[in-house]
Amino acid sequence: TKNPKILRRMATKERSVAKAGAKATVRSDRRSTKPKIAKQSAFKAGLLGGMSAGLTVNFCLFPLNTLKTRLQSRPVGAAMGFADRSILRGLYRGFLIDTVGTFPGTGLFMATYEVLKATGALHPTLCAAGASVAGSLFTAPCDAMKQRMQVDPRASIRGELSSAFKSSSPLRRLFVGYPQFLIRDLPFDAIQMTSFEALKSWHSKTVEPGRPRTPAELAWLGGAAGAITGLLTTPLDVARTAEVCAMRAGLKCTGVACLRDLVRQGGAKVLLRGSLPRMVEISLGGVLYFSALEHTKRVLGYHDPPTYFSDDDGKVAVA
């Protein structure tokens, strides 16, 4: 017979090996299932949260968007401002067609962004850029029709759709100014989401590190990111509006040529046309957008992946 001590050692070793094998199996199972579940929940939370946020922002701030578009589309040198009462009429013209594009477009944008972000492999700038291209397939055509309806009292949804499908190239008509739309919105989305993530990281490091941010805090950080983004991207928005509304603005041009003609006629100051209502609109939009987004996420029980960073003492904290 073997020594009892040797038997006990052998039994202890066998138990340790079995326990280590069980832990390895559990870790393997977690690696194989967790990312799939995270991506599915991220897509659902992003889709529903984005649609809720987009509808909230569009309904509350559409009048400001109309004012901005009318200021940008007037001919260079025209004395149309807030003293002209015609600029304040029909502030919700184009709201329906814009919502048709915004509702699914914003949902698809946030769904794509959340899925890419959940992988942890891409910078927020790249996540936002990819999401912007996906959402633009819905928002770009509706945005073009909305802008024409905002500046032309005779325009209607039926008329816009009829003109598009009767034209020799319906897709070209629907996606008029699409390159300028991407040139405007892709940097816009990248700047806004990158600014928001940077502000959130800064806030997490400086204000009670280690705890989750409240919905109110995230909303105000979103508003600050919106104001910065609105100012920086106004020239791109002017270029987009100029092409869509070229005839009304006294221009016959496409693409960058529209912007060159505007600068030639009115100087560099035209690049900031409508910047004030745009900043106010996007800043308030950031507050409303991220409030609705975070509320929807919490209702769905979805929580953003934790953000890790090193503080001044070299410790790792979670935002």
Side-chain angles (χ1 to χ4, degrees):
T1 57
K2 294 183 178 180
N3 190 312
K5 290 184 178 180
I6 296 176
L7 292 174
R8 283 197 297 271
R9 288 174 188 163
M10 291 175 64
T12 302
K13 187 175 182 180
E14 288 175 357
R15 285 195 297 270
S16 299
V17 171
K19 188 179 294 185
K23 288 182 179 180
T25 302
V26 170
R27 283 196 297 268
S28 177
D29 291 341
R30 285 178 178 173
R31 282 195 296 268
S32 63
T33 59
K34 189 173 180 180
K36 186 175 180 181
I37 296 173
K39 288 181 182 179
Q40 289 176 345
S41 59
F43 181 86
K44 180 180 178 181
L47 182 67
L48 297 179
M51 289 192 295
S52 170
L55 186 60
T56 300
V57 172
N58 216 35
F59 179 78
C60 294
L61 301 181
F62 194 83
L64 273 175
N65 182 270
T66 301
L67 288 174
K68 179 266 303 178
T69 301
R70 289 175 179 174
L71 286 171
Q72 290 178 346
S73 65
R74 73 189 190 278
V76 174
M80 186 176 82
F82 292 103
D84 184 354
R85 293 186 180 182
S86 66
I87 198 176
L88 301 175
R89 294 175 188 156
L91 293 179
Y92 273 92
R93 284 188 60 81
F95 173 76
L96 181 59
I97 188 62
D98 190 53
T99 302
V100 168
T102 299
F103 193 63
T106 310
L108 184 58
F109 170 84
M110 280 310 304
T112 305
Y113 180 80
E114 292 292 348
V115 169
L116 293 176
K117 179 182 172 183
T119 65
L122 296 175
H123 190 274
T125 303
L126 296 177
C127 295
S132 182
V133 174
S136 70
L137 299 177
F138 286 98
T139 54
C142 295
D143 182 72
M145 288 187 279
K146 172 209 72 175
Q147 288 190 322
R148 287 192 290 267
M149 291 178 65
Q150 285 176 327
V151 300
D152 187 356
R154 298 167 298 177
S156 65
I157 296 176
R158 178 182 294 182
E160 288 294 322
L161 291 175
S162 177
S163 298
F165 289 110
K166 287 181 179 179
S167 66
S168 58
S169 179
L171 281 178
R172 187 173 181 179
R173 170 76 176 181
L174 287 172
F175 282 87
V176 61
Y178 184 66
Q180 281 64 47
F181 181 89
L182 282 183
I183 289 172
R184 179 195 69 180
D185 276 35
L186 200 151
F188 173 91
D189 292 330
I191 292 171
Q192 185 177 40
M193 298 309 297
T194 303
S195 299
F196 175 69
E197 296 291 351
L199 287 170
K200 186 167 66 171
S201 178
W202 165 79
H203 195 268
S204 299
K205 292 178 183 179
T206 56
V207 181
E208 299 179 32
R211 68 164 175 82
R213 303 301 99 182
T214 67
E217 289 171 335
L218 292 173
W220 287 113
L221 292 173
I228 296 169
T229 308
L231 178 62
L232 294 179
T233 59
T234 294
L236 302 176
D237 190 50
V238 171
R240 158 74 174 174
T241 304
E243 180 166 1
V244 172
C245 305
M247 291 183 65
R248 184 179 175 84
L251 301 172
K252 294 181 180 179
C253 60
T254 58
V256 180
C258 282
L259 198 58
R260 284 202 303 264
D261 287 350
L262 278 174
V263 174
R264 192 179 299 116
Q265 293 181 32
K269 63 183 180 181
V270 301
L271 295 176
L272 293 179
R273 274 180 151 191
S275 59
L276 181 58
R278 179 172 168 79
M279 285 180 64
V280 173
E281 175 196 4
I282 297 173
S283 180
L284 292 176
V287 174
L288 294 171
Y289 186 90
F290 287 102
S291 294
L293 179 65
E294 293 301 323
H295 178 72
T296 304
K297 284 182 181 179
R298 288 170 188 261
V299 168
L300 295 172
Y302 177 80
H303 299 283
D304 288 322
T307 300
Y308 297 93
F309 61 86
S310 298
D311 60 17
D312 295 335
D313 298 326
K315 298 177 182 179
V316 177
V318 182

